[in-house]
Amino acid sequence: MLRISDVSKTFFPGTVNERRALVEVNLGLAAGDFVTVIGSNGAGKSTVLNTVAGRIGQDEGKVELDGRDVSKLKEHQRAAQVGRVFQDPMAGTSPHLTIEENLSLADKRGRPRGLALGVTKAKRERFAEALKVLELGLEDRLKTKVGLLSGGQRQALSLLMATFSQPKILLLDEHTAALDPQRAELVTRLTKKVVEEQQLTTLMVTHNMAQALEVGNRLIMMHEGRIILEVPEGEKSKLAPEDLLAEFAKIKGAVIDDKTMLQ
Amino acid sequence: MITAVELGLIYAIVALGVYLTFRILNFPDLTVDGSFTSGAATAAILIVNEVNPFLATAAAFVVGAVAGLITGLLHTKGNINGLLAGILTMIGLYSINLRIMGGANVPLLGEDTVISALRGVAGTGWNSVLVLVAVALVFKLLLDWFLHTDSGLALQATGDNEQMIRSFAVSTDRMKIIGLMLSNGLVGLAGAVVAQFQGFADIGMGIGLILVGLASVIVGQAIFGTRVVIQATMAVVLGAVIYRLAIQFALNAGLNPNDMKLMSALLVIAALLLPQWKGFRRIAQWRKGRSALDAAAEATLTSEANVPGKKVG
């Protein structure tokens, strides 16, 4: 469904701030795969997601979606097939529009937007039905402006919107990191549920190792722009957080070793 | 009094255009100073050449929309700052407007115009005001309708959260261009009607128009609120009339017409600064029980100049 081939990306090339964010990354997701991505800060996790979404153009390599090369497509063109939930709960919704208007925008993803009314009676019923899944009572507040909702409510709505028109791939960028533990738990539960129901191919970045092990069927660990560990389907369920920490420790050791060598 | 109301209702169309860019798209578009005159010049020259005045007024919409298209392309495809893109188009249009008119002004004395048609039907009293009220309302309702269509919602979201709407496969560049075209089309059309109302098109008639539009939007929305789109557009229409009446009042009170532009500027400054004053905010909230969101919308106007981290609530 998704194939990233030899993708490299360097920020600020040729300056003192030069940073190799991605180094010849290869990753393939079969239909229905749910891959969690972990790694320390600056490992390139978010850059991978942004490269798939087209927000950042890759320097080298190819991104294919459903067998089609999308490397040259712009962000909004790829978005027809890519659903996204951002870390910032404010980022995924339009605050001055109502809940139903936001859902109407999500509903039209990848289809031409003309001069038909965005919200009709039939649509409103469909939206209310979909909102019930969130169990937040939002179905009774269709005409509330989204800016008045709490962060957790907005993030749950963002998730619903991102998956509303069944994207080919769902990208989750630490989408529970900015929420309190209770809300994070809720959004994680909703994520599992919706991905399972719609059989969505999903790539999820997270800082939380327990979460990385709890959801998804595969796991990758990144460090300094490279994928340094791939846990395939079947083996992931056997992993414990301690195993991942041990892997992290190995990297850190390697870094120290390099430094010692240089001295 | 009646003349002021009539003029206010015509300028309401300008205010609706400015509302579309300034409030909905969050884009301070200065093109309007030029496109207003372009619309007036186009309609005037067509009318002098015996074209049907309604057709000439429609042509003014098209010319205004083209001006908006140019600003939109400069901003989105040329990556030029929005303010500068508008200024560039506005300055360029000055020469073009002179070319269109073949001089600094075009008199319309004795020509058939949309205003002479109005006078023929409704005379000069309150009847003609009623007709103009209906016209302004039609434009208001058309804008309300458009903003609630699939395209219109995408346009609103473009001004509200660009990152979000792009992630739902909308080209924000395209939305901005559409918004600028519509806005300047409305402004051009209003310019054509104003020229026919005053009996001439003049190269200087658009100077400072952005302030007229802004003052109408800000004054109207401060008085009548912005909770939903239909309320906001109504406020804009009423704001344009109130602004015109205020000017009339100031002139009657003996104000030198040459000071008018300064007064407009001071009015807009006051309207932007007052909501930041704590006492005023408390009064406004107490009086209307306005939602936090409305106050936040108010804050976005001044946010660029705001102290970072300053909360407006």
Side-chain angles (χ1 to χ4, degrees), chain A residues 88-105:
Chain A
D88 179 3
M90 308 298 148
T93 46
S94 179
H96 284 87
L97 296 181
T98 61
I99 292 177
E100 59 183 19
E101 286 168 340
N102 269 279
L103 277 167
S104 157
L105 287 169

Side-chain angles (χ1 to χ4, degrees), chain A residues 55 74-84 86 90-97 100-102 104-110 112-119 123 145-148 154 158 161-163 165, chain B residues 23-24 77 144-175 178 226-229 231 291-298 300:
Chain A
R55 198 167 170 200
K74 288 199 184 114
E75 188 183 359
H76 71 87
Q77 291 167 320
R78 294 194 207 182
Q81 301 172 344
V82 180
R84 266 189 294 168
F86 307 96
M90 308 298 148
T93 46
S94 179
H96 284 87
L97 296 181
E100 59 183 19
E101 286 168 340
N102 269 279
S104 157
L105 287 169
D107 189 36
K108 275 278 173 183
R109 176 211 297 280
R113 292 167 203 265
L115 294 176
L117 277 182
V119 181
K123 281 192 195 175
K145 284 188 180 174
V146 170
L148 297 172
R154 279 182 79 166
S158 301
M161 285 168 63
T163 57
S165 42
Chain B
R23 281 291 203 206
I24 300 287
K77 307 297 174 198
D144 289 345
W145 164 77
F146 171 71
L147 288 175
H148 287 100
T149 63
D150 286 322
S151 299
L153 286 176
L155 187 91
Q156 290 195 59
T158 299
D160 207 16
N161 187 346
E162 260 191 68
Q163 180 188 22
M164 167 262 181
I165 195 62
R166 230 182 278 131
S167 82
F168 287 107
V170 169
S171 163
T172 48
D173 285 358
R174 206 166 126 209
M175 284 300 140
I178 290 174
T226 57
R227 210 177 294 268
V228 287
V229 166
Q231 184 188 4
S291 65
L293 199 64
D294 276 351
E298 212 54 55
T300 56

Side-chain angles (χ1 to χ4, degrees), chain A residues 80-83 106-107 109 160-170 194 197-200:
Chain A
Q81 301 172 344
V82 180
D107 189 36
R109 176 211 297 280
L160 179 67
M161 285 168 63
T163 57
F164 205 52
S165 42
Q166 304 214 337
K168 291 216 165 107
I169 182 149
L170 177 64
V194 71
E197 272 173 13
Q198 299 189 27
Q199 293 291 307
L200 290 171

Side-chain angles (χ1 to χ4, degrees), chain B residues 175-186:
Chain B
M175 284 300 140
K176 286 181 190 170
I177 290 173
I178 290 174
L180 284 165
M181 287 181 74
L182 267 182
S183 166
N184 282 286
L186 287 172

Side-chain angles (χ1 to χ4, degrees), chain A residues 121-134:
Chain A
K121 200 164 168 254
K123 281 192 195 175
R124 193 172 283 140
E125 278 165 19
R126 194 153 56 81
F127 296 161
E129 203 55 44
L131 283 165
K132 278 186 192 151
V133 179
L134 302 183

Side-chain angles (χ1 to χ4, degrees), chain A residues 35-197:
Chain A
V35 179
T36 53
V37 187
I38 55 171
S40 48
N41 284 330
K45 309 180 300 283
S46 293
T47 312
V48 169
L49 253 60
N50 283 327
T51 313
V52 173
R55 198 167 170 200
I56 297 175
Q58 69 276 19
D59 298 337
E60 282 162 48
K62 204 157 78 164
V63 179
E64 285 165 286
L65 254 176
D66 204 11
R68 182 163 154 247
D69 186 358
V70 297
S71 308
K72 292 209 169 62
L73 291 188
K74 288 199 184 114
E75 188 183 359
H76 71 87
Q77 291 167 320
R78 294 194 207 182
Q81 301 172 344
V82 180
R84 266 189 294 168
V85 183
F86 307 96
Q87 179 175 2
D88 179 3
M90 308 298 148
T93 46
S94 179
H96 284 87
L97 296 181
T98 61
I99 292 177
E100 59 183 19
E101 286 168 340
N102 269 279
L103 277 167
S104 157
L105 287 169
D107 189 36
K108 275 278 173 183
R109 176 211 297 280
R111 288 187 286 150
R113 292 167 203 265
L115 294 176
L117 277 182
V119 181
T120 58
K121 200 164 168 254
K123 281 192 195 175
R124 193 172 283 140
E125 278 165 19
R126 194 153 56 81
F127 296 161
E129 203 55 44
L131 283 165
K132 278 186 192 151
V133 179
L134 302 183
E135 294 168 22
L136 291 168
L138 296 182
E139 60 273 17
D140 302 321
R141 301 174 64 188
L142 284 174
K143 288 188 189 300
T144 303
K145 284 188 180 174
V146 170
L148 297 172
L149 302 182
S150 72
Q153 289 171 327
R154 279 182 79 166
Q155 200 65 327
L157 180 62
S158 301
L159 179 69
L160 179 67
M161 285 168 63
T163 57
F164 205 52
S165 42
Q166 304 214 337
K168 291 216 165 107
I169 182 149
L170 177 64
L171 304 176
L172 307 169
D173 190 359
E174 297 193 44
H175 68 309
T176 62
L179 305 176
D180 63 62
Q182 213 181 343
R183 294 295 180 190
E185 212 279 315
L186 168 81
V187 172
T188 308
R189 191 158 47 83
L190 288 170
T191 307
K192 266 165 62 178
K193 189 168 160 186
V194 71
V195 169
E196 221 160 85
E197 272 173 13

